[in-house]
C-alpha cells in the first residue's frame, strides 16, 4: 500500500509547532483548538482511510472572522492549511499533512437566511447538505444536489468537490445550484462572489471556486438555490438479466431525450448488499437493476413511465415494479444511498469515481469486470447511470497489503479506461490525493500549467491543501 | 477499516470481538450527523466515528486510556443513534462497552469523579439506598449552589436539582405479582431499581394492563438490578454479576411455571437484558441460559402489541407527543408499537421533530455531564413544544424525569395512558388537567 506519496513535511514548521499552537490560542476560541495527539488523530483521515497523516493541529473556528485570522496568520508564517468539512471525501481531499493545520468548518453550522419569495437559502459552510432540505421541506421546497452522503457531508465540501447525486440528472450538480459564496483567501481577506440570483456581473469566479477542492480559499457561507418540490414522485425498479441490457437501456433513454429525475444502476453484487441492509424489495433474481424516478402530476408520470418501460422491455427487462407507498419509496432510496456503507458489511472497498459517455456504459461495465478479475478481486457497481457517472466498488481485504496494491492498480486501470472512452477521471468525488497522479492521463502539460497558474493566482505560496489535485512533480515545473 | 492488532492481543475474546466491529466501520461519517454530541460540539472526537477511531488506537496500541480519550468517551450518551444510522452494521455499543471497561482498568480518575461514580454505582441499583439518598438530597436542596464551587460539585448540584423533579411521584413498596383465573400467558415483569422508588405507578399500570388481558404476572422477589447503570459506568464485572444473578432468577421462573416473556417497562433496562446473551457469551455455564433470557425480553409495548387488545373505555382524543427513548428506538429498535398502541386508544399522536436525538437523560449522564445534558433537554423540550401536545408520553423513566424537569406539560409513561384509556386510574400528573 501507500502508493500515494506525500511531500516531506517542512522540518522548520514542525520545529515551530509549540509556538504556532501558542499563537493560534490567541486567534480562536480555546474549545476550537485541538492539539493533543489523541484528539488530532480523529482528524488524520477522511473516508479514504487507507491514507493517514497526523496534522500539526486542528482549528474549528466559529466565525468567518476567526477563519480569516487563522488564514492570515498561516499565510504570514508559511504554515499549510487543509480545509475540512465532514471528512467524507472518498478521494482523500481532507487528509492532512504533518506540517499543516486542519481548519474544520463543523462548528459553523448555522442557517443564516431563508427567502421563499426569491427562492434561496443562506447557510454557513459547515451545514450538512440534508439539513438544508430539512429546513425548507416544511414549506414544500428542497435543495437539488443530493450526494448519497447528504446526511453528513457539508455544503462547503460539496462546493469544493462540485458534488452531485442521484437526482442531479434533472436538477444539476452543485455548480448549477449555487448562487453565491463568502470566502476567505489565504491572506485573510474576505470576499463575496455571486449573489442571491443565478449569474452575476463580471468574471464567473464563482464557477472557478466550485470544484476547486479547497485550494483557492475557504468558503464560510453559501447562498443556495432552493426549488419547489414536484407534485409527486415515483421510483420504479427495472430488473435485467444482463448488465449489457441495463446499460443499453440507460443509453436509449438518454438518447430518446427523456430526462427522468434519476437513473441509478446496481449490479447483482450491489443489489444483494443493499437489499440485505434496506429490505427495499429489490429483485434478487436479476443481474442488474435500474432505479428510475419520475415526478410531476400523475398523468405526466404515467406518460414518462410508459416510454421508459417500453425502452426497458425492448432491452430485455424482466422485472418492472413501481413503488406503491411513501414507505417503499423511502426504503428504495435508503438502500441506494447507503450502498457504500452497507458494502462495509461484506468487505473493504475502494470507491472509484469516473464519468463515461452513456453510450459506452455497457462496454465499460464489461471491461471493468475484466480488469478487476485480472487483478484477482471482485467488484460491486452502484452508480448514477443517467449521468454516466460510474462508481465501481473494488472489494478487497484492507488488512492484506498485497490486496491493497492490487485494488489500487485495478482502480487506476478503470480510471484510464474512462479517459480512453472519452470520459473523465472524476465524476463528483474530486481528485484529492487519490487521482492526483493520474491527472496527466486527462490533461496535457499545457492544460495543467494553465490550471496551476490559476491556482497560484489565489494562493501563490501553495499553502492551501498543498498535496492535492496536481501531480507533485509537475507542480515544481509549473 | 484497516486494523493493526497483534496476534497476542487478538487472542483475547474482547479484543477480537472489537476488532471485528472496527473492521466493519468504513469511516463514511454518516453516523456523525445523528450524534447529539457532535451536533452540539462539532468536534470529530465527539462523534461516533471519532470515538471509534480513538478507541481503535487505544486498543491497537494496548495503551492505557489518556485523559483526552476518557473525556470524549465520557461525553458519549450511549444513545446508540449512531447504530441506527450506520449502514455498515457497526456495533458501537459493544465497542464502547469494551472501551469503558478498558478505561476502568487502565485509568485512574481524579478523586471527586471516582467518588461520584462510586456513589452512583452503590446507590442507584439499590432501592433502599436510593430512597435514603433522595431524602438527603431533598434536605440539601437549599445549599446545592454551595456544592457547585467544590471539585465535582457541579455534578452533585445537578443530582440534587434533578432529584427535586422526582417529588411528584409517590414512593411505594415493591409490588406483588398478580394472578388471574385461567391465564392465557405468564410473564415476569422487571421491577426496576430506580423505578421501584420513583415510578411505581408505571408497573402498577403495566400489571393492570397485563392481567386485564389474562396474563399472569410474576415479580421474583430476589430479582436485582439489570446491570445497565454499572455497565455504563465501566464496572464490567459487576454488570456481569448482575446479569448472572437475574439469569438465574428468571431461569428458575421458567422452570417453575414457564415464562412467555420477561416484560420490561424501562427501555434502558430492556436494552441490556436483550444483550445478556452477548455479555455472557464466553461464560460456558451461562451462555445458553443468558441467550434464552435475552430472547424472552420484551418491552411492554412490544408485548401488548402482540396481544388481541381490548378497546378503550374513556373519551380520549388528547394530543400526545410521543418521545421515543434512545434505548427504545435505537437500543431495541422498537419504533411503531408504542405509537400504535396510543393511537389504538384514540389519542392523537404527534411525532416530535428531531425525534432521533437524545433528551440528555441517558442513565447517569445528566448527573455526570450536566452541561451537555441540559442543552439537550432544552433542545428536546423546544422540539416537543413545537407540536403543541397536551401530554408527553415516553417509555423510559429516565426520559420522563429529564423532560419533566424542563417543561410544564405533563410527562407520563405510555402504559399509564393506555391503562387509563382502558379504565385504569388517571395518572397523578394528569389529575388536574384531564380529571
Ligand atoms: C458513503 C459515501 C457516499 C458518497 N456519495 C457521494 C455522492 O453520491 N456524490 C458525491 O458527489 N459525493 C459523494 N461522496 C463523497 C463526499 O461525500 C463528497 O465529496 C462531499 O461533498 C464531501 O463533503 P465533506 O463536507 O465531507 O468534505 P470533506 O471530505 O471534509 O472535504 C472535501 C474537500 O473539500 C475541501 N473543503 C471542505 N470544506 C471546505 C470549505 N468550507 N471551503 C473550501 N474547501 C473545503 C476539503 O479540503 C477537501 O478537499 C460520498 C462519500 C461517502 C463516504
Ligand atoms: S456510519 Fe458506520 S461505517 Fe460509517 S463511520 Fe459511522 S460507524 Fe463507521
Ligand atoms: S452513542 Fe450517541 S452520543 Fe455516543 S457516539 Fe453514538 S450517537 Fe454519539
Amino acid at each position: 500500500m501507500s502508493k500515494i506519496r506525500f511531500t516531506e513535511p517542512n522540518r522548520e514548521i514542525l520545529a515551530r509547532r509549540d509556538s504556532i499552537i501558542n499563537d493560534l490560542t490567541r486567534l480562536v476560541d480555546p474549545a476550537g483548538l485541538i492539539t493533543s495527539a489523541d484528539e488530532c488523530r480523529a482528524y488524520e483521515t477522511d473516508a479514504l482511510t487507507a491514507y493517514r497523516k497526523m496534522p500539526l493541529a486542528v482549528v474549528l473556528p466559529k466565525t468567518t472572522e476567526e477563519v480569516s485570522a487563522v488564514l492570515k496568520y498561516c499565510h504570514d508564517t508559511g504554515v499549510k492549511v487543509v480545509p475540512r468539512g465532514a471528512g467524507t471525501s472518498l478521494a482523500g481531499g481532507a487528509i492532512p499533512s504533518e506540517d499543516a493545520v486542519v481548519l474544520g468548518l463543523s462548528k459553523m453550522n448555522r442557517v443564516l437566511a431563508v427567502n421563499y419569495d426569491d427562492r434561496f437559502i443562506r447557510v454557513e459552510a459547515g451545514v450538512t447538505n440534508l439539513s438544508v432540505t430539512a429546513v425548507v421541506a416544511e414549506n414544500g421546497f428542497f435543495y437539488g444536489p443530493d450526494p448519497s452522503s447528504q446526511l453528513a457531508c457539508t455544503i462547503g465540501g460539496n462546493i469544493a468537490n462540485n458534488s452531485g447525486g442521484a437526482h442531479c440528472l434533472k436538477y444539476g450538480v452543485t455548480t448549477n445550484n449555487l448562487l453565491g459564496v463568502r470566502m476567505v483567501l489565504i491572506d485573510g481577506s474576505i470576499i463575496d462572489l455571486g449573489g442571491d440570483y443565478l449569474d452575476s456581473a463580471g468574471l464567473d469566479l464563482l464557477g472557478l471556486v466550485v470544484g476547486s477542492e479547497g485550494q483557492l480559499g475557504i468558503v464560510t457561507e453559501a447562498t443556495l438555490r432552493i426549488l419547489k418540490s414536484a407534485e409527486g414522485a415515483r421510483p420504479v425498479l427495472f430488473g435485467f438479466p444482463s448488465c449489457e441490457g441495463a446499460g443499453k437501456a440507460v443509453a436509449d433513454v438518454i438518447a430518446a431525450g427523456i430526462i427522468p429525475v434519476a437513473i441509478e444502476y446496481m449490479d447483482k453484487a450491489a443489489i444483494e448488499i443493499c437489499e440485505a441492509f434496506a429490505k427495499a424489495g429489490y429483485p434478487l433474481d436479476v443481474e442488474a437493476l435500474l432505479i428510475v424516478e419520475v415526478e410531476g402530476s400523475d398523468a405526466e408520470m404515467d406518460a414518462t413511465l410508459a416510454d421508459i418501460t417500453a425502452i426497458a422491455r425492448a432491452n430485455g427487462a424482466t422485472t418492472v415494479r413501481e413503488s406503491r407507498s411513501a414507505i417503499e419509496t423511502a426504503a428504495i432510496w435508503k438502500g441506494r444511498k447507503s450502498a457504500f456503507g452497507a458494502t462495509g458489511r461484506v468487505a473493504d472497498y475502494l470507491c472509484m469515481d469516473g464519468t463515461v459517455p452513456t453510450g459506452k456504459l455497457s462496454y465499460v461495465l464489461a471491461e471493468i469486470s475484466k480488469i478487476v478479475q485480472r487483478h484477482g478481486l471482485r467488484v460491486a457497481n452502484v452508480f448514477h447511470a443517467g449521468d454516466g457517472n460510474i462508481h465501481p466498488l473494488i472489494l478487497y481485504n484492507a488488512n492484506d497489503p498485497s490486496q491493497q496494491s492490487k485494488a489500487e492498480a485495478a482502480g487506476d486501470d478503470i480510471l484510464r479506461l474512462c479517459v480512453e472512452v472519452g470520459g473523465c477521471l472524476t465524476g463528483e468525488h474530486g481528485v484529492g490525493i487519490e487521482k492526483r497522479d493520474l491527472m496527466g492521463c486527462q490533461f496535457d502539460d499545457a492544460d495543467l500549467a494553465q490550471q496551476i497558474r490559476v491556482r497560484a493566482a489565489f494562493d501563490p505560496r501553495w499553502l492551501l491543501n498543498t498535496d492535492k489535485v496536481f501531480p507533485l512533480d509537475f507542480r515544481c515545473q509549473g | 477499516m484497516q486494523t493493526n492488532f497483534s496476534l497476542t492481543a487478538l487472542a483475547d475474546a474482547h479484543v477480537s470481538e472489537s476488532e471485528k466491529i472496527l473492521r466493519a466501520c468504513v469511516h463514511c461519517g454518516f453516523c456523525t450527523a445523528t450524534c447529539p454530541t457532535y451536533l452540539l460540539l462539532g468536534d470529530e472526537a465527539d462523534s461516533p466515528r471519532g470515538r471509534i477511531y480513538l478507541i481503535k488506537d487505544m486498543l491497537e496500541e494496548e495503551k492505557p486510556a489518556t485523559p483526552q480519550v476518557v473525556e470524549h468517551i465520557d461525553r458519549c450518551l450511549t444513545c446508540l443513534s449512531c447504530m441506527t444510522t450506520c449502514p455498515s452494521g457497526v456495533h458501537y455499543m459493544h465497542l464502547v462497552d469494551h472501551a469503558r471497561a478498558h478505561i476502568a482498568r487502565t485509568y485512574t480518575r481524579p478523586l471527586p469523579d471516582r467518588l461520584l461514580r462510586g456513589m452512583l454505582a452503590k446507590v442507584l441499583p439499590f432501592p433502599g439506598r436510593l430512597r435514603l439518598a433522595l431524602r438527603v438530597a431533598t434536605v440539601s436542596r437549599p445549599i446545592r449552589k454551595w456544592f457547585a464551587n467544590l471539585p465535582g460539585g457541579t455534578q452533585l448540584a445537578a443530582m440534587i436539582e434533578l432529584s427535586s423533579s422526582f417529588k411528584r411521584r409517590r414512593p411505594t413498596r415493591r409490588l406483588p405479582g398478580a394472578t388471574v383465573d385461567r391465564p392465557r400467558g405468564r410473564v415476569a415483569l422487571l421491577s426496576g431499581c430506580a423505578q421501584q422508588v420513583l415510578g411505581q405507578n408505571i408497573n402498577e399500570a403495566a400489571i393492570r394492563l397485563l392481567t386485564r388481558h389474562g396474563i399472569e404476572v410474576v415479580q421474583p422477589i430476589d430479582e436485582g438490578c439489570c446491570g445497565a447503570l454499572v455497565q455504563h459506568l465501566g464496572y464490567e464485572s459487576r454488570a456481569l454479576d448482575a446479569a448472572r444473578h437475574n439469569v438465574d432468577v428468571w431461569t428458575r421462573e421458567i422452570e417453575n411455571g414457564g415464562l412467555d416473556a420477561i416484560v420490561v417497562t424501562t427501555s434502558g433496562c430492556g436494552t441490556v437484558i436483550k444483550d445478556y446473551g452477548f455479555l455472557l457469551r464466553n461464560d460456558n455455564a451461562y451462555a445458553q441460559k443468558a441467550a434464552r433470557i435475552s430472547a424472552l425480553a420484551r418491552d411492554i409495548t412490544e408485548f401488548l402489541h402482540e396481544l388481541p387488545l381490548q378497546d378503550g373505555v374513556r373519551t380520549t382524543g388528547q394530543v400526545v407527543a410521543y418521545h421515543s427513548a434512545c434505548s427504545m428506538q435505537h437500543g431495541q429498535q422498537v419504533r411503531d408499537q408504542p405509537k400504535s398502541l396510543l393511537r389504538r386508544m384514540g389519542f392523537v399522536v404527534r411525532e416530535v421533530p428531531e425525534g432521533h436525538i437524545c433528551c440528555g437523560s441517558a442513565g447517569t449522564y445528566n448527573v455526570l455531564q450536566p452541561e451537555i445534558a441540559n442543552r439537550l433537554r432544552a433542545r428536546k423540550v423546544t422540539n416537543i413544544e413545537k407540536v403543541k401536545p397536551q401530554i408527553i408520553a415516553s417509555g423510559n423513566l429516565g426520559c420522563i424525569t429529564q423532560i419533566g424537569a424542563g417543561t410544564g406539560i405533563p410527562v407520563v409513561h405510555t402504559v399509564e395512558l393506555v391503562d387509563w384509556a382502558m379504565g385504569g386510574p388517571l395518572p397523578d400528573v394528569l389529575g388536574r388537567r384531564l380529571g
Side-chain angles (χ1 to χ4, degrees), chain B residues 24-31 49 52 85-88 90:
Chain B
C25 173
V26 294
H27 216 255
C28 66
F30 281 25
C31 53
R49 181 175 67 170
I52 290 169
T85 304
C86 177
S88 193
V90 171

Side-chain angles (χ1 to χ4, degrees), chain A residues 466-478:
Chain A
T466 311
D467 280 351
K468 317 288 165 65
V469 184
F470 298 104
L472 296 181
D473 305 332
F474 191 88
R475 172 174 327 172
C476 311
Q477 304 156 20

Side-chain angles (χ1 to χ4, degrees), chain B residues 315-331:
Chain B
T315 315
T316 46
Q318 295 81 1
V319 178
V320 176
Y322 173 71
H323 162 77
S324 187
C326 296
S327 43
M328 189 77 83
Q329 56 174 332
H330 304 306

Side-chain angles (χ1 to χ4, degrees), chain A residues 71 267 288:
Chain A
L71 287 191
D267 66 8

